[in-house]
Amino acid sequence: MASPRRTWFDERGLVRARRDGAAELVPLYLGSLHYWRLPPERWQLYLRKLRGLGLSAVESYVPWRVHEPSEGHWQWRGACDLARFLRLARAERLAVVLRVGPNANAELTGLGFPDDVLADQRISARTAHGSLAWLPVPPRAMPVPSYASAALHQRVGSWYRALGEQLGALTSPDGPLVALGVDNETQHFFRGGAYDLDYHPDALARWAELHPQWPEPPRRWEERDAERCLAWVRFKDRSLADALRRFSAALDDAGFAGLARCHNLPLAHRGAPEFAAAIDGVVAVDSHGPVRPRALRRAALRALGPLAPLPLVLESGVGDVPWRPPAGGADADRDRAVTLLSAGARGLGFYMAVERERWTGALLDAEGAPDESAGWAHRLVTALHQVRWPELRADAAVAVVRSRADEVYAEAACPLDPLTPMVSHLVGLGPAGHAELAPRDAGEAGRWLDAVERALERAGVSYRVYEASAPAEELARHRVVLAPLGARVERALWRTLTELAQRRAAIVVIGPTPPLLDEDGAELGPPPPRGLGKMRAGSRQDLDGLAADLRDLAGADARWRCDNPAVALAVAERRNGETRVLFVFGAEAAEAAEAAEAAEAASETPVELTCAELSVVALRDVFDGARTAVVDGRVRLSVGAGVRMFVIEHAPLVDAAATGASSP
């Protein structure tokens, strides 16, 4: 029998069941506080200050190596007194989200794994050559654990049971603990090359069980063996989801059944829908490093779109690790948070909220005083409460469906292997990432996806990005469904697109040519139906023309517009359609060079916005409080290269009964 739900996520935030049978919403504005790194005598001060910033929850890793420094020896006192920390959070009316690993990262030695776990070769991941896998991560290199290892899962089970003994009485509904983070950025510990990991004996046994036709997995790319190579890449994705499922089941066994679960991934990682299903919860995203708002928003729309029911950012970077170049300071931190909200984030976590070792920058310093440059966070959270942010939505006329078939093929066939695809992302090979170097032009789908997103932004057309597994009924909620495709497509997605086109449930456009192969490399079959449109072959090099085509397809005009193509807008609205928040993006240098008014956009010269809502009277800047009047549906604003966020003020409605007026 399934355990009753104590807490769960919905589209607004986290819902907590109460003893009286009612349900209480907890909007998720979180602050990261690493309790074990900070003096226990200051915990209450920090928590009180976080509540004063308007935050509703505190979030922390619970590092395994800190609480179990050697097998069977536990630390739960002093700075490790986690139960006391939770009781103090309850006293300050803060909900608590704990990220219980086993991987914590948090710039800890061994990423938070105990040394004896890392030293156990039964747990170590294996490379394609059978050697132990190592990770050169500060402060010292570590053996990589295999998430397929039965020995690892046995040790994790004992870790979770020890946590349950400490925290059982502090879980919701009576306690402040409302959600658990299951592991952290599960992605083979940054070693994501197709034939790098994981050839652990337990992983190989599972592969043979699932693929009896291929008892041995591939250890390098071979064109004649493409089907087996593609199956191996997908098997590795599935293995990670299976590991999260086992971790989540172990949490149930440890006494945490019924509590909401979450996981977190970098913006560019694949697998969010599968991971969410594995933990029966939500996959959140993380964002750190330098900020280019327009590019970040496109990446966030890709990452947040499939995150049902709640688009959650668990780590919106405030500061950074000290061994990376400066990311831009408080201005970049603010622009990051605003940009993620503009892309649909309903919950937002500030990482870090309190200063700590191995990190520079936070909302509060070690004494609990607000950082002089971080006052923006309080003003932002205050505005989010004012507009009731969790209840707002961003309407989207267009659904963009992202096929991953060429991406998987590119990972399997890329000549850079065994280097991780993250290398391609970091060095900026191009919009298709790893696929830029793969054979058979596997990068076309990625290049077309990038062009479509840029053109929609230029056209002022709102859109949402879906994964290939999106159901037809969800896509049919949009007027237009765009599927930028290359040579390959998931067979299930092709059936969905064909169905939508045949019954005319939406305007379906692929581009620019029909795919020929499915995700296994088999021929796709019959040609596409007549009702399925195609983008013009040359429009990837003509973004203005593509933008015009997509604007015509989308139909209805946006309520807020700017005719300057170097400026982009996004809005959040109430369910009745009234716009409530406006985001205005200036042009970055690279994008401005593509736009007709590059010189104007790069300066502080005001641009004119038009609004079709007659009730709008002013825009109020969230951060400096400046109020700009909207007259006859027009307003002029100075726009630099970043992003600005405004609360939209509407004329108050006149109550006819109060004024004695008669209804028409």
Side-chain angles (χ1 to χ4, degrees):
M1 180 181 296
S3 300
R5 292 194 302 174
R6 293 185 270 174
T7 59
W8 62 93
F9 296 104
D10 73 4
E11 69 277 5
R12 301 165 298 164
L14 185 136
V15 182
R16 175 163 47 191
R18 299 196 320 217
R19 286 290 184 191
D20 61 6
E24 173 189 10
L25 174 68
V26 180
L28 285 179
Y29 309 127
L30 308 101
S32 292
L33 189 165
H34 291 179
Y35 62 93
W36 77 94
R37 284 174 154 144
L38 299 166
E41 61 271 18
R42 291 184 185 160
W43 285 352
Q44 188 159 19
L45 171 64
Y46 298 142
L47 293 165
R48 186 169 298 156
K49 293 292 183 117
L50 294 186
R51 185 69 186 181
L53 291 175
L55 303 184
S56 57
V58 60
E59 169 268 310
S60 180
Y61 289 109
V62 184
W64 187 3
R65 76 178 286 118
V66 170
H67 290 284
E68 191 186 14
S70 60
E71 186 171 3
H73 293 83
W74 299 97
Q75 300 283 353
W76 300 109
R77 295 183 178 180
C80 294
D81 193 345
L82 181 56
R84 176 176 177 244
F85 178 75
L86 264 64
R87 287 193 294 269
L88 291 173
R90 175 170 56 189
E92 298 301 330
R93 297 179 294 115
L94 285 169
V96 178
V97 176
L98 294 180
R99 299 160 73 180
V100 297
N103 173 23
N105 193 341
E107 296 68 55
L108 285 162
T109 301
L111 302 183
F113 285 88
D115 286 338
D116 64 279
V117 171
L118 297 177
D120 188 343
Q121 293 193 9
R122 297 175 305 157
I123 288 173
S124 297
R126 302 299 201 276
T127 71
H129 304 290
S131 59
L132 300 183
W134 285 76
L135 182 67
V137 62
R140 66 171 186 257
M142 57 172 277
V144 174
S146 169
Y147 276 13
S149 165
L152 173 67
H153 285 277
Q154 183 177 3
R155 284 296 307 274
V156 170
S158 70
W159 159 233
Y160 286 171
R161 286 191 294 275
L163 274 176
E165 292 170 3
Q166 294 292 316
L167 305 179
L170 292 165
T171 57
S172 188
D174 300 317
L177 180 57
V178 297
L180 295 170
V182 185
D183 205 53
N184 173 68
E185 296 188 348
T186 301
Q187 49 181 326
H188 293 295
F189 296 90
F190 312 110
R191 291 186 58 161
Y195 313 103
D196 187 12
L197 305 177
D198 182 8
Y199 294 86
H200 185 281
D202 292 344
L204 297 183
R206 181 61 173 159
W207 161 268
E209 178 185 343
L210 294 174
H211 303 88
Q213 71 276 36
W214 302 308
E216 280 293 315
R219 297 174 189 265
R220 64 181 180 276
W221 167 254
E222 292 186 23
E223 180 69 32
R224 60 184 175 81
D225 200 18
E227 186 178 359
R228 185 170 66 127
C229 292
L230 292 169
W232 172 249
V233 174
R234 290 195 295 272
F235 167 77
K236 290 177 64 177
D237 289 347
R238 177 177 176 177
S239 296
L240 295 179
D242 286 344
L244 290 177
R245 185 175 294 106
R246 294 170 73 180
F247 291 150
S248 190
L251 285 170
D252 288 346
D253 293 340
F256 296 109
L259 283 183
R261 307 284 160 83
C262 63
H263 183 65
N264 58 297
L265 289 172
L267 283 175
H269 194 263
R270 184 174 67 241
E274 293 78 12
F275 288 5
I279 63 173
D280 191 21
V282 162
V283 174
V285 298
D286 303 338
S287 174
H288 296 278
V291 177
R292 293 175 51 212
R294 298 275 283 271
L296 174 61
R297 184 169 190 271
R298 290 191 292 271
L301 282 166
R302 291 186 185 187
L304 291 168
L307 299 188
L310 178 70
L312 172 63
V313 176
L314 203 53
E315 296 183 16
S316 179
V318 179
D320 208 343
V321 291
W323 50 83
R324 279 203 293 246
D331 289 346
D333 297 339
R334 179 200 62 218
D335 282 358
R336 181 195 327 280
V338 170
T339 300
L340 294 169
L341 290 167
S342 80
R346 301 265 72 78
L348 189 67
F350 297 101
Y351 189 102
M352 294 297 299
V354 180
E355 184 182 7
R356 48 89 164 180
E357 62 167 351
R358 303 186 187 183
W359 195 267
T360 58
L363 300 183
L364 304 176
D365 66 19
E367 303 297 321
D371 185 278
E372 291 183 1
S373 61
W376 61 268
H378 183 210
R379 292 188 283 272
L380 175 61
V381 176
T382 299
L384 295 177
H385 283 298
Q386 177 193 352
V387 300
R388 301 172 70 173
W389 178 256
E391 299 178 11
L392 302 185
R393 294 294 177 270
D395 188 28
V398 173
V400 178
V401 189
R402 184 181 190 184
S403 169
R404 300 279 193 166
D406 275 346
E407 179 182 330
V408 171
Y409 175 79
E411 286 187 21
C414 185
L416 285 181
D417 195 83
L419 286 180
T420 172
M422 284 194 300
V423 172
S424 302
H425 175 73
L426 291 173
V427 302
L429 287 180
H434 231 43
E436 297 287 357
L437 297 180
R440 291 191 177 176
D441 212 15
E444 279 298 279
R447 297 181 197 112
W448 273 98
L449 175 63
D450 179 72
V452 163
E453 291 168 333
R454 289 174 180 270
L456 287 167
E457 182 181 275
R458 187 169 295 191
V461 174
S462 58
Y463 68 95
R464 181 179 177 188
V465 182
Y466 290 88
E467 291 291 322
S469 57
E473 56 269 23
E474 178 71 14
L475 297 177
R477 295 174 52 244
H478 303 270
R479 172 180 168 84
V480 179
V481 176
L482 296 175
L485 302 177
R488 298 168 182 264
V489 66
E490 294 85 350
R491 192 171 289 272
L493 171 58
W494 190 243
R495 285 196 295 267
T496 296
L497 296 174
T498 298
E499 175 194 339
L500 290 171
Q502 287 177 332
R503 60 185 178 91
R504 299 185 179 182
I507 301 171
V508 182
V509 179
I510 64 170
T513 57
L516 302 175
L517 306 173
D518 69 7
E519 64 269 41
D520 295 320
E523 291 186 7
L524 202 53
R530 291 185 178 181
L532 196 148
K534 303 179 188 65
M535 287 180 276
R536 292 183 293 108
S539 56
R540 203 177 76 211
Q541 287 75 38
D542 177 20
L543 286 186
D544 287 330
L546 181 57
D549 291 344
L550 296 178
R551 188 184 299 115
D552 289 343
L553 275 178
D557 288 337
R559 277 162 290 175
W560 285 88
R561 297 194 64 86
C562 180
D563 291 333
N564 187 330
V567 174
L569 308 178
V571 297
E573 61 188 38
R574 290 176 171 154
R575 292 189 183 276
N576 64 4
E578 178 185 84
T579 59
R580 201 68 185 88
V581 178
L582 174 68
F583 303 90
V584 183
F585 291 82
E588 295 165 311
E591 292 165 332
E594 301 172 358
E597 286 105 4
E600 178 184 354
S603 71
E604 289 292 333
T605 303
V607 296
E608 185 172 87
L609 278 59
T610 58
C611 174
E613 289 180 284
L614 299 179
S615 62
V616 174
V617 296
L619 298 177
R620 178 171 53 80
D621 189 288
V622 164
F623 299 105
D624 65 18
R627 187 173 180 274
T628 306
V630 177
V631 181
D632 295 330
R634 298 180 181 275
V635 61
R636 292 182 68 79
L637 299 171
S638 294
V639 182
V643 55
R644 299 185 67 183
M645 179 178 176
F646 300 91
V647 173
I648 300 171
E649 296 184 359
H650 293 259
L653 293 175
V654 177
D655 189 332
T659 61
S662 58
S663 300

